[in-house]
Amino acid sequence: MTYVKWTFRIVLWSALFAVAHYSLPQHDMVRVVNTYQERQDLGDWTRIFWAQPDDQSASLANRDVQFIQTIRKKTWLLGFYRTGGEETMVYRNEDTGWSWPFYFKFDTANLQTEADDLKSRKEDPEWAVMTHYGWRNELLSTFPNAVAIRPVDSPNVTVIPWFNIFFLIFVIIGFAFIRAAWRQFRERMIDPAVEDAEQGWDEVSDRIDEKRGRLRRWFRSWRSGR
């Protein structure tokens, strides 16, 4: 039973971590090299990795999607950038509308224009901070969705994810409050009810044992009388 409990907890927390990592905003230091538009097929299960900004998009088999090609600075843990470490990264640029995750993004055209304006060459780079959510997976052809882009003077700027910090603090406080409320509810309502039920069951068992003892004594006396 202990293994089942821990397995359930590991699976649950892993799923919650994956959802949070996919949905929460992330920040990359990038240099824009190109932007383009391409028609994408949405017929298989990977549709879940594409935005659904309106009702019509949910029923389409394919649609045109805008992309932003960049060179991204590689990062160490906690968001510190590696010296000289770079890699290619392609972002999709789709409106999220009113659907999940709730970024309420409606400015795809504006963001594409801003990315076009930030194009630069390796000899004269212009760096920018790309805010996005989602994952890049070459095998499944999934792309993170760009939410915002802003130019910076240096690629060594440290971006502090304030939203993620406050969101996680809020989640921890909320979880602690719910856990404390649940424990108080269990101590006041469930545990006494369980104790009463156990006590009642013990009383019923005692009565049954007492009646069985009487029946056995009567049966023995009846046999001895014969």
Side-chain angles (χ1 to χ4, degrees):
M1 191 64 180
T2 303
Y3 293 106
V4 174
K5 183 186 298 184
W6 277 105
T7 301
F8 174 77
R9 289 179 179 177
I10 292 174
V11 172
L12 176 62
W13 286 109
S14 298
L16 292 176
F17 175 80
V19 171
H21 187 268
Y22 180 89
S23 305
L24 290 177
Q26 303 176 43
H27 307 278
D28 295 339
M29 189 68 62
V30 301
R31 176 172 62 85
V32 180
V33 297
N34 190 30
T35 61
Y36 67 97
Q37 182 171 287
E38 184 176 84
R39 181 161 289 269
Q40 294 292 319
D41 293 327
L42 309 174
D44 57 8
W45 67 272
T46 57
R47 176 187 288 269
I48 62 176
F49 295 108
W50 298 90
Q52 297 183 11
D54 50 49
D55 294 335
Q56 182 183 15
S57 65
S59 59
L60 293 176
N62 54 66
R63 68 166 180 261
D64 291 332
V65 180
Q66 299 183 94
F67 292 90
I68 304 173
Q69 293 176 310
T70 69
I71 299 297
R72 182 177 68 173
K73 294 277 289 184
K74 292 182 179 180
T75 60
W76 296 102
L77 188 63
L78 302 179
F80 292 99
Y81 297 101
R82 302 181 186 178
T83 302
E86 298 179 354
E87 61 184 354
T88 60
M89 176 56 66
V90 181
Y91 303 89
R92 58 190 167 97
N93 181 18
E94 295 187 283
D95 284 342
T96 61
W98 302 99
S99 61
W100 178 89
F102 303 107
Y103 283 88
F104 307 110
K105 178 188 172 187
F106 300 93
D107 60 345
T108 292
N110 293 343
L111 180 58
Q112 197 76 359
T113 303
E114 293 174 7
D116 281 329
D117 188 51
L118 289 172
K119 289 181 183 178
S120 64
R121 302 177 62 85
K122 187 175 182 180
E123 296 77 13
D124 187 21
E126 292 186 23
W127 293 95
V129 175
M130 179 75 78
T131 303
H132 67 90
Y133 72 90
W135 300 324
R136 176 72 174 108
N137 188 296
E138 290 83 0
L139 181 63
L140 301 178
S141 295
T142 62
F143 303 86
N145 190 13
V147 177
I149 187 171
R150 62 179 178 86
V152 291
D153 297 330
S154 169
N156 298 317
V157 174
T158 300
V159 181
I160 302 176
W162 291 112
F163 177 85
N164 294 356
I165 293 173
F166 288 119
F167 177 81
L168 293 177
I169 291 175
F170 175 79
V171 169
I172 292 173
I173 293 175
F175 176 78
F177 175 79
I178 293 175
R179 186 169 181 232
W182 165 252
R183 292 184 63 179
Q184 190 174 22
F185 173 78
R186 186 181 64 183
E187 292 175 357
R188 290 184 176 182
M189 303 296 295
I190 298 179
D191 290 346
V194 172
E195 291 178 0
D196 292 341
E198 291 178 349
Q199 184 177 359
W201 177 254
D202 292 338
E203 292 178 357
V204 171
S205 299
D206 293 339
R207 292 178 183 176
I208 293 175
D209 293 338
E210 183 179 355
K211 290 182 178 180
R212 284 180 179 176
R214 290 178 181 177
L215 182 61
R216 288 174 182 173
R217 289 194 297 270
W218 176 84
F219 185 71
R220 291 174 182 172
S221 62
W222 181 78
R223 292 186 61 184
S224 60
R226 292 183 60 187

